[in-house]
């Protein structure tokens, strides 16, 4: 059992919290109440950033001490939305939210994952008609191994998990969010994920 704090109680955070609790972990969900994120992060071994990506950097940079020596699992994408509310541009072109977080939190082990799919797939990957791929980006091998184990708890088969390398590789997976609005407009809000076919 691992102590996990989920920052963000929307669809993504709530979905992850429910699934991780079901898998036997001790999970705390922090809402936007003053001090809730700091309290949750302080007592957790792993912190999941499921806050809206546009405000994640500022929000998490304020938790530098609480996140010291912790694993920060970043599942958010930082985008500028278009008039229809869907992602239109990246907030950090030539970089990524994950890289910005790692720079702001040098004593935290940031791992990027689960950001190349619609949120229902994060905790039910086997429901798709073909195997999806989930990616790992991060500079600390031990942190990535811990996150890999969490992914298996969420139903991800080991052969579906691809370690891309250091945190800078997150800029590639974060750019994949630009596919999402076009796919949704084309086929509707049906769960999907990026899959690497071999």
């Amino acid at each position: 059992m691992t102590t996990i704090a989920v920052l963000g109680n929307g669809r993504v955070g709530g979905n992850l919290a429910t699934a991780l609790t079901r898998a036997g972990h001790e999970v705390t969900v922090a809402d936007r109440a003053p001090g809730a994120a700091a309290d949750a992060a302080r007592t957790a071994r792993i912190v999941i950033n499921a806050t809206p990506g546009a405000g994640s950097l500022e929000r998490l940079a304020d938790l530098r001490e609480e996140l010291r020596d912790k694993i920060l699992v970043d599942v958010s994408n930082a985008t500028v939305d278009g008039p229809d509310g869907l992602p239109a541009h990246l907030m950090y072109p030539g970089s990524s939210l994950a890289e910005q977080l790692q720079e702001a939190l040098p004593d935290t082990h940031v791992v990027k994952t689960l950001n190349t799919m619609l949120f229902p797939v994060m905790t039910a990957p086997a429901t798709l008609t073909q195997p999806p791929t989930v990616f790992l980006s991060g500079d600390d091998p031990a942190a990535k191994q811990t996150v890999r184990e969490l992914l298996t708890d969420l139903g991800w088969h080991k052969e579906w998990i691809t370690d891309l390398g250091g945190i800078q590789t997150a800029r590639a997976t974060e750019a994949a969010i630009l596919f999402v609005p076009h796919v949704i407009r084309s086929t509707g809000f049906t769960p999907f994920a990026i899959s690497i076919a071999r």
Side-chain angles (χ1 to χ4, degrees), residues 15-176:
N15 188 39
L16 287 169
T18 298
L20 289 167
T21 300
R22 191 181 301 125
H25 298 288
E26 183 180 327
V27 181
T28 302
V29 179
D31 57 21
R32 296 193 177 194
D39 289 343
R42 192 178 295 112
T43 58
R45 179 186 173 213
I46 298 172
V47 178
I48 298 176
N49 174 38
T51 65
S56 289
L57 181 58
E58 181 179 4
R59 190 174 291 116
L60 292 171
D62 288 340
L63 302 176
R64 183 168 176 169
E65 287 306 312
E66 290 84 357
L67 292 171
R68 184 182 298 275
D69 297 325
K70 306 290 177 70
I71 296 172
L72 177 63
V73 182
D74 179 32
V75 305
S76 295
N77 289 302
T79 59
V80 178
D81 292 342
D84 60 0
L86 294 175
H89 306 286
L90 299 175
M91 281 191 68
Y92 306 108
S95 183
S96 63
L97 173 59
E99 288 172 274
Q100 298 294 314
L101 288 169
Q102 186 63 85
E103 183 176 348
L105 302 164
D107 300 315
T108 302
H109 308 299
V110 179
V111 178
K112 189 80 182 193
T113 193
L114 290 172
N115 64 308
T116 55
M117 61 202 69
L118 292 192
F119 79 90
V121 182
M122 294 178 175
T123 59
T127 60
L128 298 183
T129 57
Q130 60 190 30
T133 303
V134 64
F135 302 98
L136 291 170
S137 298
D139 293 336
D140 186 88
K144 284 193 288 188
Q145 179 57 35
T146 297
V147 175
R148 183 186 293 269
E149 292 165 7
L150 276 189
L151 291 172
T152 61
D153 287 344
L154 293 174
W156 290 88
H157 297 186
K158 62 181 181 180
E159 63 269 22
W160 299 351
I161 304 172
T162 297
D163 185 344
L164 295 179
I167 199 66
Q168 76 280 359
T169 63
R171 66 184 65 176
T173 61
E174 288 190 25

